[in-house]
């Protein structure tokens, strides 16, 4: 159980089986890294490319963005270190959520639906990590299931979560996506989940913080294990027992803040050993993540049985009493999921080192509190809906950003805003004034709904976030302009062509590769015209969706008169012939 060598990535759990046709992927996260938001698209299109390679990312987004919805906490969308126009293609799929007052929207859950062999299937991925590129220890549980004709009682929390998502976004989700998400909700309510192990049973899916009476989670037992990077004295004392062992795994910073009474209630305290290294299945030794972000709770009970909870909730009062969180609860033999199994030599034991509270430096505590206050100010600011209106003149495009006045905060000395695509156009906002900013002389491909807001405290500490405005006005051809700007040479176009056609395997039937029949041979633009025509026509017949997605890219380049000269000689005529043949076939049908 939780053997360090058994490591995985979130992408592996989001990837559907071979031959599957994905119909919807819905994810929630507290913090969102926009670059990491490319990963779900790459996962469900079956691409293992790094997020830094723009052409596969562009192809994956063009293929899959219509079936992806990501719901982060508003004010927690991180500003990427380097910007990319591709980020604007994420706009339709990202829906920031407003949390209850003084609480957080904190679940890390992914729900995937696909069709295969005439049946509808689902996957539930409950994780402890956000959708970021951070390198940390987390825990993830993945359950597959099949959509049945009737609702399954244990899924009521997941269904209620979808209701919550659709009613708590900063700006309303589009009508078309709402319809698809309601269909998704009805399907998820009818899924029978497979047990993770023949001896381990799924006891409950706990969805916390949606209102009403919170579900009762029983921490009574003969031994407890609490793994959480953030701690609260009240929560720990509520989980711990005065008569039985209580083991804590956390961070030194969190342990240092515990009150003496809380620390005394804990039998053992551990942190990750920063020098730990583990061999994988090939006996290759690698260094391990130094940061802990996992949340896991184990309670050993009578008759050699144990219960385990995995999910997003930290061991804090807000984690179990107010925040929106998702936890899976399992029951099984202590020998499989008990405290000793998790923390022993076959589990996390090799990574842990014993510790005790130390006095935290006063300046560290003060910095933490300042950062917390600035983050809260950003979340309040991001909870106000904004509109970005696009207009066009001879000098380019103009973005007019408007919205209600941000909530005033005594912790903020300066507030700035700029479009994510044009960081040089920074504007200051006056405290207590309505948002009324104008950004001028923009290229069409730089028109975006993504805006950066930055707050600076009185001591000079700054925090920033990305806010998504409701984009309105004259923006026809914007996606075409973004796509065209990303394809700078003929090789880029060739790669994109091959990727868009090959993705038919995830959304239909994959056409054959260009060029030689040998899969190891890279096709070139020397491919005979009749062969290229055949490939495109077979794609039109066997995987029309992939050709439809390619159509948007090709026609955007043609409409722009191929500014970067990426199309091979004669391709425009060839494409027109394919389009004409597709049109005749549609008329015949």
């Amino acid at each position: 159980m939780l053997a360090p060598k058994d490591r995985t990535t979130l992408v592996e759990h989001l990837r559907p089986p071979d031959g599957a046709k994905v119909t919807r992927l819905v994810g929630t996260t507290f913090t969102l890294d926009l670059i990491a938001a490319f990963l779900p698209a790459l996962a469900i299109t079956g691409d293992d490319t790094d997020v830094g390679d723009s052409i596969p990312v562009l192809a994956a987004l063009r293929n899959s963005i219509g079936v992806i919805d990501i719901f982060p906490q508003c004010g927690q969308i991180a500003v990427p270190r380097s910007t990319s126009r591709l980020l604007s293609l994420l706009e339709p799929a990202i829906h920031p959520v407003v949390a209850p007052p003084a609480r957080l929207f904190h679940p890390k859950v992914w729900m995937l639906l696909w069709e295969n062999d005439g049946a509808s299937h689902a996957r539930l991925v409950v994780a402890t990590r956000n959708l970021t590129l951070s390198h940390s220890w987390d825990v993830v549980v993945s359950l597959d299931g099949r959509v049945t004709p009737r609702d399954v009682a244990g899924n009521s929390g997941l269904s209620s979560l979808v209701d919550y998502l659709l009613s708590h976004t900063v700006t309303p989700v589009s009508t078309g996506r709402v319809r698809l998400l309601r269909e998704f909700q009805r399907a998820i309510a009818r899924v029978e989940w497979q047990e993770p192990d023949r001896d381990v049973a799924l006891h409950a899916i706990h969805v916390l913080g949606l209102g009403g009476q919170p579900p009762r989670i029983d921490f009574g037992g003969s031994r407890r294990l609490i793994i959480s990077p953030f701690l609260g004295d009240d929560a720990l004392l509520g989980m711990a027992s005065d008569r039985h062992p209580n083991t804590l795994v956390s961070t030194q910073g969190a342990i240092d803040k515990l009150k003496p009474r809380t620390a005394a209630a804990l039998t053992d305290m551990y942190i990750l050993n920063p020098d730990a290294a583990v061999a994988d299945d090939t006996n290759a030794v690698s260094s391990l993540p130094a940061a802990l972000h996992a949340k896991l709770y184990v309670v050993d009970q009578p008759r050699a049985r144990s219960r385990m909870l995995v999910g997003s909730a930290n061991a804090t009062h807000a984690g179990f009493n107010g925040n929106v969180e998702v936890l899976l609860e399992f029951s099984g033999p202590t020998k499989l999921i008990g405290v000793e199994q998790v923390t022993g030599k076959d589990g996390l034991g090799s990574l842990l080192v014993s510790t005790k509270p130390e006095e935290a430096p006063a300046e560290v505590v003060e910095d933490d509190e300042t950062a917390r206050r600035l983050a809260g100010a950003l979340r309040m600011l991001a909870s106000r809906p904004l509109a970005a209106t696009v207009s066009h003149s001879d000098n380019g495009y103009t973005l007019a950003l408007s919205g209600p006045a941000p909530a005033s905060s005594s912790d903020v000395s300066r507030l700035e805003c700029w479009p994510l695509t044009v960081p040089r156009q920074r504007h200051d906002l006056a405290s207590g004034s309505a948002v009324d900013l104008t950004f001028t002389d923009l290229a069409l491909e730089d028109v975006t709904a993504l805006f950066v807001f930055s707050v600076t405290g009185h001591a000079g500490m700054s925090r920033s976030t990305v806010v998504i405005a409701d984009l309105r006005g004259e923006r026809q051809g914007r996606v075409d302009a973004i796509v065209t700007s990303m394809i700078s040479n003929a090789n880029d176009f060739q790669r994109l062509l091959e990727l868009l056609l090959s993705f038919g395997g995830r959304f239909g039937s994959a056409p054959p590769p260009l060029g030689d029949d040998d899969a190891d041979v890279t096709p070139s633009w020397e491919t005979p015209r009749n062969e290229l025509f055949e490939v495109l026509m077979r794609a039109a017949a066997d995987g029309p969706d992939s050709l439809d997605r390619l159509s948007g890219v090709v026609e955007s380049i043609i409409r722009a008169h191929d500014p970067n000269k990426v199309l091979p000689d004669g391709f425009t005529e060839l494409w027109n012939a394919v389009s004409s043949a597709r049109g005749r076939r549609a008329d015949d049908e």
Side-chain angles (χ1 to χ4, degrees):
M1 173 60 64
L2 297 182
K5 68 177 183 179
D6 296 334
R7 300 193 293 277
T8 186
T9 65
L10 180 63
V11 170
E12 293 176 53
H13 292 274
L14 298 184
R15 184 169 294 127
D18 290 340
K21 181 178 180 181
V22 176
T23 55
R24 200 102 221 133
L25 173 62
V26 176
T28 66
T29 179
F30 174 59
T31 302
L32 175 63
D33 182 319
L34 287 173
I35 300 298
F38 294 151
L39 291 172
L42 290 168
I44 66 173
T45 52
D47 198 298
D48 294 322
T49 307
D50 184 85
V51 291
D53 192 337
S54 61
I55 298 303
V57 170
L58 172 59
L61 291 174
R62 292 291 287 175
N63 272 278
S64 65
I65 201 65
V67 301
I68 296 174
D69 293 286
I70 303 172
F71 295 84
Q73 160 81 52
C74 69
Q76 293 294 146
I77 302 178
V79 180
R81 292 183 180 179
S82 59
T83 188
S84 167
R85 289 165 176 161
L86 283 176
L87 296 172
S88 293
L89 300 183
L90 293 168
E91 294 167 3
I94 299 178
H95 319 290
V97 172
V98 180
R103 294 294 184 255
L104 300 175
F105 177 77
H106 201 250
K108 299 102 168 57
V109 60
W110 294 86
M111 295 173 282
L112 176 67
L113 284 181
W114 72 86
E115 295 176 359
N116 202 0
D117 298 329
S120 295
H121 303 265
R123 178 172 297 157
L124 175 64
V125 180
V126 174
T128 67
R129 73 171 295 120
N130 297 300
L131 187 55
T132 69
L133 299 176
S134 64
H135 197 49
S136 61
W137 276 110
D138 282 275
V139 178
V140 61
V141 176
S142 180
L143 300 176
D144 281 2
R146 188 163 180 159
V147 180
T148 67
R150 296 181 177 83
D151 286 358
V152 176
N155 295 328
S156 60
L158 296 177
S159 181
S160 297
L161 178 61
V162 177
D163 282 331
Y164 184 92
L165 297 176
L166 292 175
S167 61
H168 284 74
T169 53
V170 176
T171 55
V173 179
S174 69
T175 302
R177 283 186 179 259
V178 168
R179 177 180 58 80
L180 294 170
L181 283 165
R182 289 301 184 191
E183 293 176 3
F184 165 86
Q185 179 185 31
R186 289 190 287 271
I188 285 294
R190 304 196 308 270
V191 177
E192 284 188 357
W193 304 107
Q194 300 172 6
E195 303 292 1
D197 184 276
R198 66 180 183 180
D199 295 316
V200 178
L202 175 63
H203 180 75
I205 301 172
H206 298 293
V207 182
L208 313 180
L210 301 186
Q213 187 67 25
R216 182 176 179 273
I217 299 177
D218 183 12
F219 284 92
S222 60
R223 189 177 179 184
R224 291 156 198 76
L225 168 65
I226 300 164
I227 301 179
S228 175
F230 298 96
L231 306 173
D233 291 280
D234 291 345
L236 285 175
L237 290 173
M239 296 174 187
S241 168
D242 294 333
R243 296 179 295 133
H244 300 291
N246 307 292
T247 300
L248 173 68
V249 178
S250 188
T251 65
Q252 189 64 53
I255 290 173
D256 292 344
K257 296 175 186 176
L258 294 178
K259 295 177 180 178
R261 181 189 170 202
T262 308
L266 299 168
T267 313
D268 305 288
M269 287 179 274
Y270 297 94
I271 60 173
L272 290 177
N273 183 350
D275 299 321
V278 174
D280 60 20
D281 291 333
T282 65
N283 291 321
V285 177
S286 60
S287 60
L288 299 172
L292 175 73
H293 201 255
K295 296 99 177 166
L296 184 141
Y297 307 88
V298 180
V299 180
D300 291 346
Q301 297 182 309
R303 294 184 291 277
R305 300 289 294 178
S306 294
R307 289 185 298 111
M308 173 183 287
L309 292 107
V310 180
S312 60
N314 285 292
T316 63
H317 178 77
F320 284 86
N321 297 275
N323 288 354
V324 179
E325 311 274 6
V326 174
L327 291 158
L328 295 184
E329 182 175 354
F330 299 94
S331 61
T334 298
K335 66 180 181 180
L336 291 181
I337 64 170
V339 173
E340 182 60 33
Q341 184 67 17
V342 174
T343 59
K345 61 182 179 62
D346 294 328
L348 298 177
S350 62
L351 305 180
L352 304 178
V353 60
S354 180
T355 190
K356 60 183 180 180
E358 301 172 354
E359 185 174 352
E363 62 270 17
V364 172
V365 175
E366 184 176 341
D367 285 349
D368 286 351
E369 179 61 18
T370 301
R372 186 187 67 80
R373 289 178 176 273
L374 291 178
L378 277 177
R379 286 193 291 271
M380 284 294 295
L381 184 155
S383 68
R384 309 293 180 95
L386 298 173
T389 303
V390 186
S391 58
H392 182 240
S393 68
D394 292 340
N395 294 326
Y397 288 82
T398 296
L399 272 173
L401 185 65
S402 60
S408 59
S409 170
S410 59
D411 300 300
V412 177
S413 64
R414 186 179 187 185
L415 174 59
E416 298 175 279
C417 175
W418 62 92
L420 181 63
T421 51
V422 194
R424 65 181 180 277
Q425 291 206 32
R426 292 184 177 226
H427 287 16
D428 283 299
L429 282 86
S431 177
S433 300
V435 177
D436 185 13
L437 303 175
T438 302
F439 307 93
T440 60
D441 303 331
L442 303 177
L444 180 57
E445 56 266 30
D446 289 328
V447 169
T448 184
L450 306 176
F451 292 85
V452 178
F453 281 82
S454 174
V455 296
T456 303
H458 298 286
M461 180 182 289
S462 295
R463 291 291 184 270
S464 58
T465 190
V466 175
V467 172
I468 304 179
D470 181 15
L471 195 62
R472 307 169 180 176
E474 305 174 48
R475 60 187 190 277
Q476 184 176 1
R478 182 178 71 115
V479 172
D480 288 351
I482 292 171
V483 170
T484 302
S485 72
M486 299 304 300
I487 305 172
S488 60
N489 55 63
N491 183 60
D492 286 347
F493 179 75
Q494 178 189 344
R495 292 178 66 208
L496 186 66
L497 174 66
E498 293 163 6
L499 285 165
L500 286 173
L501 294 180
S502 68
F503 284 164
R506 293 293 179 190
F507 300 86
S509 301
L514 300 176
D516 197 289
D517 290 337
D518 185 347
D520 292 331
V521 175
T522 302
S524 72
W525 285 123
E526 300 304 317
T527 302
R529 283 184 48 141
N530 60 344
E531 182 180 340
L532 183 56
F533 181 80
E534 180 184 355
V535 168
L536 293 172
M537 286 305 300
R538 287 185 62 182
D542 299 333
D545 289 347
S546 63
L547 204 60
D548 287 341
R549 287 182 284 273
L550 176 62
S551 175
V553 176
V554 171
E555 292 176 8
S556 67
I557 294 172
I558 292 174
R559 279 194 297 269
H561 304 292
D562 192 11
N564 296 324
K565 307 303 178 189
V566 302
L567 301 179
D569 291 342
F571 187 86
T572 300
E573 293 77 11
L574 178 63
W575 180 258
N576 290 337
V578 172
S579 299
S580 177
R582 289 179 72 200
R584 289 196 301 272
R585 175 170 179 166
D587 292 340
D588 291 341
E589 293 175 351

